[in-house]
Amino acid sequence: MTLLSLFKNTNNNNPQTLIWGEDSFLNDYLAHSYAHEKKFVELDRITVDCETDGLDNLIADLTESSLFSSQKLIVVKNPFFLTSKAPKKMKKQFDQLERIFAHIQGSDNVVIIIASYNKLDRRKKLTKTVLSNFNVVETKIKTYEVTAIAKSIIGAEGYTISQPALQLLVQRSDQVMDTILSNYNKLKMAATDNKITEKLVEQNIDLSLAQNVFAILESALKHNYREAAERLDNQLREGSNPIQLLAVFENQIELILVVKILAKRGRNEPQIVKELGVHPYRVKLALRNKISVEKLEELLEAAIKLDYNYKNGTYHANNFLKMFVLNV
């Protein structure tokens, strides 16, 4: 099974591939995996970055014969010609590319286009031609799908991961796919017999900033102020600044508040996950929290005021942030 098959494909029998989605790290990861499949092992590999190499070089690579093999695999990065920002002065090159891509299925070459954009300009003839002649792989992932996609990628690459290890990996990666993949690469280097265990994750993947802040907040909410203060001091020593930490505090408090309000309105856990588009684990933790809605509203208001005073220069020292934590 290829990693591309884990995502929406328009025609997975077509080797000419457009990988489209906002996450450039994920797109590059998938393109690298696809380009290194056994069926392409004999092909001459070329990478063209349209922004730095230019379209003339891309056109030359698409039309000229390879010196080393009868086929080429061409990876196209930053294809701005598919977006609305493409300059009109390049119409000549756009027309050439349109003609090439219109007949790409009859080409000996394999072309992989990595379009790490939110939107493509579907009004353009060139974009329409690419969309109709390539297998379009959409890599858009909803937050609540992250864990399942991560597990599928790990399994497809021949690794096994226990459920507790998977949950810990996702948590320590802040439920962000590119961070998960980056941390997963570290685990692959450390894994024995292709097995990823919870202990392996604990030993090799550090807590994220958001997780550390969440741990500070949890300690404070349990009135374990000594532990909260120690954790906060550690974060400040590691270079985090009050404004950065406050932003995460506000995010955490706001999420717990919204989850509790939705629960009061009769929403169940899966409904809240879908409505907010956040990872199920974050919703589960928020629902377990015993703090009242009224207290959360007070904390959020205090955090916003504190953030404002740091940003306008009224506050400079870390003591104001510490006082906020100790008053939770």
Side-chain angles (χ1 to χ4, degrees):
M1 178 178 70
T2 70
L3 296 189
L4 295 183
S5 66
L6 300 174
F7 300 86
K8 180 182 176 182
N9 286 241
T10 56
N11 181 6
N12 54 20
N13 292 319
N14 182 3
Q16 314 298 346
T17 301
L18 168 66
I19 299 174
W20 172 36
E22 288 185 88
D23 192 331
S24 58
F25 190 98
L26 173 62
N27 294 342
D28 288 343
Y29 193 96
L30 297 174
H32 180 271
S33 173
Y34 183 57
H36 285 79
E37 290 184 12
K38 289 182 180 180
K39 59 186 175 183
F40 301 136
V41 69
E42 300 296 330
L43 273 60
D44 184 20
R45 301 173 191 276
I46 297 170
T47 299
V48 182
D49 188 322
C50 296
E51 291 185 354
T52 57
D53 299 325
L55 297 188
D56 288 334
N57 283 330
L58 172 60
I59 291 167
D61 286 322
L62 288 168
T63 55
E64 293 174 0
S65 300
S66 171
L67 296 174
F68 305 102
S69 68
S70 59
Q71 286 182 291
K72 292 182 289 187
L73 187 147
I74 304 170
V75 177
V76 182
K77 305 186 78 171
N78 295 314
F80 62 84
F81 53 82
L82 297 177
T83 72
S84 58
K85 296 180 180 180
K88 293 181 180 179
K89 65 181 181 180
M90 293 185 172
K91 185 179 184 305
K92 179 182 177 182
Q93 289 97 324
F94 297 160
D95 290 342
Q96 286 179 282
L97 286 172
E98 195 278 323
R99 289 193 293 271
I100 293 168
F101 291 142
H103 301 90
I104 195 67
Q105 293 186 36
S107 171
D108 288 332
N109 299 324
V110 174
V111 179
I112 303 171
I113 301 177
I114 306 172
S116 299
Y117 306 114
N118 179 35
K119 293 181 179 180
L120 303 180
D121 189 350
R122 294 173 176 267
R123 300 167 299 175
K124 295 170 62 174
K125 186 178 180 182
L126 176 52
T127 305
K128 291 177 181 177
T129 299
V130 170
L131 292 175
S132 61
N133 286 280
F134 281 67
N135 174 30
V136 182
V137 182
E138 291 190 49
T139 60
K140 298 175 182 178
I141 303 173
K142 294 180 175 65
T143 307
Y144 58 83
E145 298 173 328
V146 165
T147 301
I149 293 291
K151 183 177 181 179
S152 296
I153 289 174
I154 292 169
E157 292 192 334
Y159 288 80
T160 59
I161 185 168
S162 66
Q163 193 61 29
L166 177 64
Q167 291 295 338
L168 188 60
L169 170 60
V170 173
Q171 291 162 27
R172 292 199 174 185
S173 304
D174 284 338
Q175 298 87 41
V176 177
M177 182 55 73
D178 58 357
T179 309
I180 292 171
L181 291 174
S182 179
N183 286 333
Y184 165 52
N185 281 334
K186 296 177 189 175
L187 296 172
K188 285 195 288 187
M189 300 292 291
T192 302
D193 298 326
N194 286 12
K195 293 181 180 179
I196 299 173
T197 63
E198 188 176 12
K199 184 177 180 181
L200 192 73
V201 178
E202 288 176 347
Q203 291 174 338
N204 290 276
I205 309 301
D206 294 329
L207 288 172
S208 67
L209 174 62
Q211 277 200 301
N212 277 309
V213 171
F214 184 78
I216 295 169
L217 184 61
E218 281 287 282
S219 297
L221 289 171
K222 293 175 182 176
H223 305 298
N224 190 344
Y225 294 117
R226 176 176 291 181
E227 180 179 305
E230 287 176 355
R231 287 181 179 275
L232 178 59
D233 284 336
N234 288 337
Q235 282 302 121
L236 292 168
R237 276 195 297 269
E238 289 174 8
S240 299
N241 62 61
I243 294 175
Q244 183 183 23
L245 294 174
L246 269 170
V248 185
F249 272 122
E250 288 174 38
N251 179 271
Q252 299 280 11
I253 295 169
E254 186 175 20
L255 176 67
I256 298 171
L257 176 61
V258 173
V259 168
K260 284 185 171 290
I261 290 172
L262 290 175
K264 276 191 170 185
R265 292 176 180 174
R267 309 287 207 286
N268 60 31
E269 189 174 321
Q271 289 172 331
I272 295 172
V273 168
K274 191 169 184 180
E275 189 163 339
L276 297 182
V278 299
H279 194 271
Y281 181 76
R282 296 185 70 192
V283 173
K284 188 181 292 293
L285 288 179
L287 289 171
R288 286 179 186 170
N289 199 291
K290 302 300 182 184
I291 191 169
S292 69
V293 168
E294 292 74 21
K295 178 64 174 177
L296 287 166
E297 289 173 341
E298 290 175 13
L299 286 174
L300 184 58
E301 184 178 355
I304 292 170
K305 286 181 179 178
L306 188 59
D307 182 55
Y308 176 77
N309 284 324
Y310 269 115
K311 286 179 178 175
N312 69 16
T314 303
Y315 295 161
H316 297 283
N318 296 330
N319 292 338
F320 297 100
L321 178 59
K322 292 181 182 178
M323 287 300 297
F324 168 77
V325 170
L326 295 176
N327 283 318
V328 168

